[in-house]
Amino acid sequence: MHSRKKMSSEGNKKQFWKRNTAKVPGSIQHVYGAQHPPLDPLLHTNLIKAGNKPQLTPGKPKKATTFQEFESITSDAWDVGDDDDELLAMAAQNLNIEVVMETANKVIENHSKLQERQQLQQDEVFELEDKEEEEVVQEDAEEVDGDEEEEEREEAAETAAELSFSSEAGSYTDTRLVKSLSEAPIGSPKELEGEPALYRQQSLPHRPIIPMVARMADQNTSGTPAMSEREASRLDKFKQVLAGPNTDLEELRKLSWSGIPRQVRPITWKLLSGYLPANAERRESTLQRKRQEYFGFIEQYYDSRNDEHHQDTYRQIHIDIPRTNPLIPLFQQASVQEIFERILFIWAIRHPASGYVQGINDLVTPFFVVYVFEYIEEEVENFDVSSLQEEALRNIEADSFWCMSKLLDGIQDNYTFAQPGIQRKVKALEELVSRIDDTVHIHLRQYEVEYLQFAFRWMNNLLMRELPLRCTIRLWDTYQAEPEGFSHFHLYVCAAFLVHWRKEILEEKDFQGLMILLQNLPTMHWGNEEVSVLLAEAYRLKFAFADAPNHYKR
């Protein structure tokens, strides 16, 4: 009995992260050397027990009082639980067969009506096409009848053909162009007036399609030209600052805050991150030394990835890499994924205090894309990296590793055990939002939405899961230029980002709707304009609250 109490007390001491007084203590698992995917025997035991006694009374989601409970209700979208079959069985026990049959009949009825509507639309389209074909046949017949008259007119005008050839050709081309436009089946105003809704919907693009990683000047959503006079002038200013023997880093930061031209972004990021020295003569030797040092790490450590004490880390990295920007073909190439695996594994080995944590894989991508642009001119989304020389790929890999390491050095407490840095920042975000927009704050609390449930990812991935990659790169221009941009200024960007969706948040009137919105914010069409507005608002918040702690806290 005494030994049992002793074991129990020791178990309680080990679970030191439990804090019943805090709203949401703890954070995600200590990933380095942990099981992957995460497995907590206590949670799985509780879930099995709960399966035997399902709760039939619906209610609001229970607040998490321990880290394990929070983890169990906020798993990533791609994590598939081991107990899905049990949960489905539990759900099946509570189903009413009458409700199921009624719902099924409604689905079938709606589906039948939808098919009927689609059939009617298709019939209308076919009738319209038949009419068009008849009109074309009539036009062809009229053209045949008029061929002889046309030939006579051409012979009569043959003497003046040489003098008026250019104008005649121009008018002829214009006439044909107008005719071809009038015959266009989709998209022309004439046809759209009487077309079915299906054609109208297909022919009206909403906004210009922007690549995930925009070209030259990171195209705006307004579809502006790649290089305006203002942008050309800014590029000249960057080149002047970078051309000196000793780069003025303070002046470079001022220029970079509003965005960095794509042509000088690689060298600018390397300078602002501290990877390269300000002295131009020392840069080449520094690059050679750091690149050799990185590949020395590869020779020393990479073969140990299958060792017993490293295999869990490597396995999790290997699982996460294909999930990194899955919509961009560049990152699905085998050679790119191998580069990412080496970068992340070497970083984890050299930082045992944190090791590898899910989310760090995202932080490599902006550096990799920017340094690929150093060697190519075309779009990067579908670029085949195997067309690059081996030396160029090695340089991109080493530079990405060192710049990512510099970034993580400033926010490493985000990824140590229990991730205390992220917890502090999420708590600070909650305090800040309560001061700048109490209505949004109260609305989230009313429906029991905890900031940790949506803002944890904002801090862990630096908003990379919320924004297109082109916007992340523009955002990082300012982060590189801002003192403590990744560790401090990011908090104000997150606050501005949350308040930006004020209208949409207040329209949601339940927990589920709010969580779906906050985890799927519609930013796919964002560009430089939206990011610039976001950064300006974040700077205003920083100016108002960063140096005024009494205003920051209640």
Side-chain angles (χ1 to χ4, degrees), residues 244-355:
N246 289 286
T247 301
D248 186 345
L249 294 181
E250 189 60 31
E251 183 63 24
L252 188 62
R253 287 191 181 94
K254 291 179 181 178
L255 286 174
S256 301
W257 206 98
S258 300
I260 304 171
R262 175 239 182 195
Q263 296 89 332
V264 294
R265 183 176 278 133
I267 181 67
T268 304
W269 275 27
K270 292 172 186 176
L271 286 167
L272 294 180
S273 66
Y275 176 45
L276 285 184
N279 185 276
E281 295 180 355
R282 294 171 48 208
R283 290 174 192 168
E284 190 60 34
S285 60
T286 300
L287 282 175
Q288 292 180 1
R289 176 173 56 83
K290 299 298 286 185
R291 289 166 179 171
Q292 290 175 1
E293 186 178 355
Y294 168 72
F295 285 102
F297 294 151
I298 296 291
E299 294 178 3
Q300 182 178 357
Y301 296 117
Y302 196 60
D303 288 340
S304 67
R305 62 189 182 278
N306 294 317
D307 291 353
E308 183 177 357
H309 56 292
H310 290 154
Q311 62 183 1
D312 287 333
T313 297
Y314 178 73
R315 177 175 175 269
Q316 187 60 50
I317 292 172
H318 188 73
I319 291 172
D320 288 347
I321 292 302
R323 302 169 178 166
T324 304
N325 289 291
L327 299 179
I328 302 179
L330 171 71
F331 299 112
Q332 303 309 309
Q333 299 177 37
S335 55
V336 174
Q337 294 185 358
E338 291 171 2
I339 288 173
F340 277 40
E341 285 182 1
R342 289 193 292 268
I343 289 174
L344 294 171
F345 182 77
I346 296 302
W347 188 89
I349 292 298
R350 298 188 70 247
H351 296 81
S354 62

